[in-house]
Amino acid sequence: MKKLASKILLLLLLLAVEYAGLEAVARALYPEASLRLAAKDVLLAQRAETIEVLLMGNSHAARGIDPADLSRPAFNLAFPATDLYNCRHLLARVVDRLPRLRTIIVNLSDHSFAFDAATQTPALVYQFWEVYRIPPRSSSLVTPLRYAQYLSRFWLVRGTFLKDFIRHGLRRRPPRDPILAVETLHDDGFRTTSLSLPPAVMRQHAAKRVTRHIEFGTDESARERNRDYLRDFLTLAAEHRLDVVIVTLPLSTSYRELYPRELSSQFDDDLHQVLADLPDVRYLDFGSTPGLTNDDFKDADHLNGRGAAKVTRLLDVALFGDSELE
C-alpha cells in the first residue's frame, strides 16, 4: 500500500513539474495573454488626477464609446464580460482613486439583467480578482482546481499553444494576439479597430451572437439579483455625489432583426423597476441610432472606431453640448 501511495505521489509530482514547465513557456510565449484588464488599470492610474468622466460596462462600451470624442477628460474602463456584479465592485475599487470624477457613463445591453459572468464567461472572471481583488460571485469558481485553471496562462491558451510554440517558440518570437492584432488600445482605455465584417459574414455572426445571448436565459431570480446589483451601483455613486448616465448602444441591423422582442421588452421592464425611484439617473437609448450602416460595426453587436466616433459625439451633445467646461 505504501509503495502504491509513493508511486501515485511521484506521478503527481512529475505531472506538477511538467505543468509548471508548460506554464512557464506559455507565459513567455504569450506575455499579454492575461494582462488586458491590468493594462487598462495601468493607464487609469496614469490619468487618475484628470479623469472627470468614467466609462464602464461590457464590451459594447469598451469598443463603442471613445473618450477622445467627449468634451471632458474621460477614461474607458469598460471590459468584456463585465456583468452588474463586477461593475458594482469595480466602481468601489476605483472611485477613491479619481479625485476629479464627476460623471459615470455605464452601458447596459439587452441581456445585462440575465448575464452572470461567473457562470457564463468564467475564463474572464479571474482578471477581476487578479487586478482588483473582486472575488467571483459564484462559489463554483472558488474550488482550488477550477480557479487555478483560470489563473493559468497555459490553460487559457491550451487550444493554440502547441501550434504557436512550434511556429514561434523555438524562434522566441511571440505570436500576434488575434484580438490585439486588429485592435488598438489607446491611452484613454478605448480599444478600437477600423475593420468591419462583410454583409454575409455579419449575418452569420449575428445569428451566433443572438443565440448566445438568448442562452443566458430569463430566470427571474437572476434578473432580480442583477437589479439589486444595479441599485447598489447607483447607491454607491450617489454616496460619492457622482452623476450616473445609463446608455444602451447601437446594434447592427442583422442583430436587431434576430433578437426576440420579448427579451428587449423584458430588459425595459427590469430597467424601469430600478429607475422608477431614481429620477436623477439619466437613461439614453442609442440602440437605433439613425445613419449607421454595417460599415460602422466591427461585428454584429460591436461598433468599430468609425461608428464609436459617431455615437460618442451624439452622447457628448446630449450630456455636455449646452454646458460650459468648468
Side-chain angles (χ1 to χ4, degrees):
M1 191 66 180
K2 289 183 178 180
K3 289 184 178 181
L4 178 61
S6 298
K7 290 181 179 180
I8 293 175
L9 288 174
L10 179 60
L11 176 62
L12 293 175
L13 179 61
L14 291 174
L15 290 173
V17 171
E18 180 181 2
Y19 195 92
L22 292 171
E23 179 68 14
V25 173
R27 287 181 177 268
L29 191 60
Y30 302 90
E32 300 290 338
S34 66
L35 300 178
R36 292 175 188 164
L37 185 56
K40 279 205 171 190
D41 187 63
V42 170
L43 296 173
L44 179 74
Q46 293 172 356
R47 292 175 170 240
E49 297 297 324
T50 63
I51 295 170
E52 296 182 17
V53 180
L54 186 66
L55 310 173
M56 302 185 69
N58 57 31
S59 59
H60 292 171
R63 298 180 175 96
I65 304 178
D66 187 351
D69 286 310
L70 293 173
S71 57
R72 295 187 178 179
F75 187 87
N76 192 322
L77 193 58
F79 188 72
T82 301
D83 58 6
L84 287 166
Y85 167 83
N86 282 296
C87 200
R88 179 256 180 269
H89 287 283
L90 183 57
L91 177 60
R93 298 299 193 279
V94 304
V95 65
D96 291 330
R97 296 166 52 185
L98 309 174
R100 294 176 60 86
L101 184 62
R102 299 167 59 185
T103 304
I104 298 173
I105 301 172
V106 57
N107 94 283
L108 296 181
S109 305
D110 280 351
H111 57 272
S112 290
F113 289 103
F115 180 58
D116 173 20
T119 58
Q120 291 155 348
T121 55
L124 291 172
V125 172
Y126 80 102
Q127 296 199 47
F128 292 102
W129 170 256
E130 275 196 325
V131 180
Y132 294 109
R133 290 297 182 261
I134 299 174
R137 187 198 63 78
S138 174
S139 59
S140 64
L141 282 180
V142 185
T143 61
L145 177 60
R146 186 168 187 188
Y147 197 68
Q149 290 174 342
Y150 296 119
L151 289 175
S152 166
R153 201 162 303 179
F154 170 71
W155 177 262
L156 294 174
V157 300
R158 64 193 184 280
T160 60
F161 174 79
L162 181 59
K163 178 185 67 177
D164 287 337
F165 178 73
I166 292 173
R167 290 182 177 179
H168 306 279
L170 297 178
R171 291 179 289 169
R172 297 185 179 182
R173 189 171 67 190
R176 298 183 74 191
D177 184 292
I179 294 179
L180 298 181
V182 298
E183 293 187 342
T184 301
L185 178 62
H186 298 272
D187 290 345
D188 54 16
F190 182 53
R191 190 181 294 283
T192 184
T193 178
S194 62
L195 300 182
S196 59
L197 296 177
V201 180
M202 182 75 79
R203 288 191 292 270
Q204 294 174 1
H205 185 261
K208 291 180 181 179
R209 294 295 288 177
V210 168
T211 299
R212 170 66 171 156
H213 293 158
I214 291 175
E215 289 173 351
F216 292 160
T218 58
D219 179 65
E220 173 57 30
S221 62
R223 291 166 53 207
E224 182 178 3
R225 184 168 59 242
N226 278 316
R227 291 194 296 266
D228 287 341
Y229 291 144
L230 180 56
R231 290 187 184 98
D232 291 345
F233 177 91
L234 297 173
T235 298
L236 179 62
E239 290 173 353
H240 287 81
R241 299 182 179 180
L242 301 174
D243 296 325
V244 178
V245 180
I246 296 174
V247 300
T248 50
L249 295 173
L251 303 166
S252 70
T253 301
S254 299
Y255 184 99
R256 287 187 282 113
E257 288 176 347
L258 294 174
Y259 196 77
R261 291 185 178 181
E262 58 269 24
L263 294 185
S264 295
S265 297
Q266 191 175 76
F267 167 83
D268 293 337
D269 291 342
D270 288 325
L271 185 58
H272 177 73
Q273 286 188 49
V274 175
L275 299 185
D277 298 322
L278 297 168
D280 293 333
V281 177
R282 294 185 66 182
Y283 171 53
L284 300 175
D285 182 5
F286 294 99
S288 56
T289 300
L292 295 179
T293 68
N294 273 356
D295 291 338
D296 295 308
F297 289 87
K298 168 185 177 289
D299 52 39
D301 60 332
H302 296 97
L303 293 164
N304 59 23
R306 182 170 46 251
K310 293 179 180 179
V311 173
T312 307
R313 289 167 191 152
L314 293 174
L315 174 62
D316 187 66
V317 170
L319 295 182
F320 311 124
D322 297 327
S323 62
E324 296 181 359
L325 298 180
E326 297 180 1

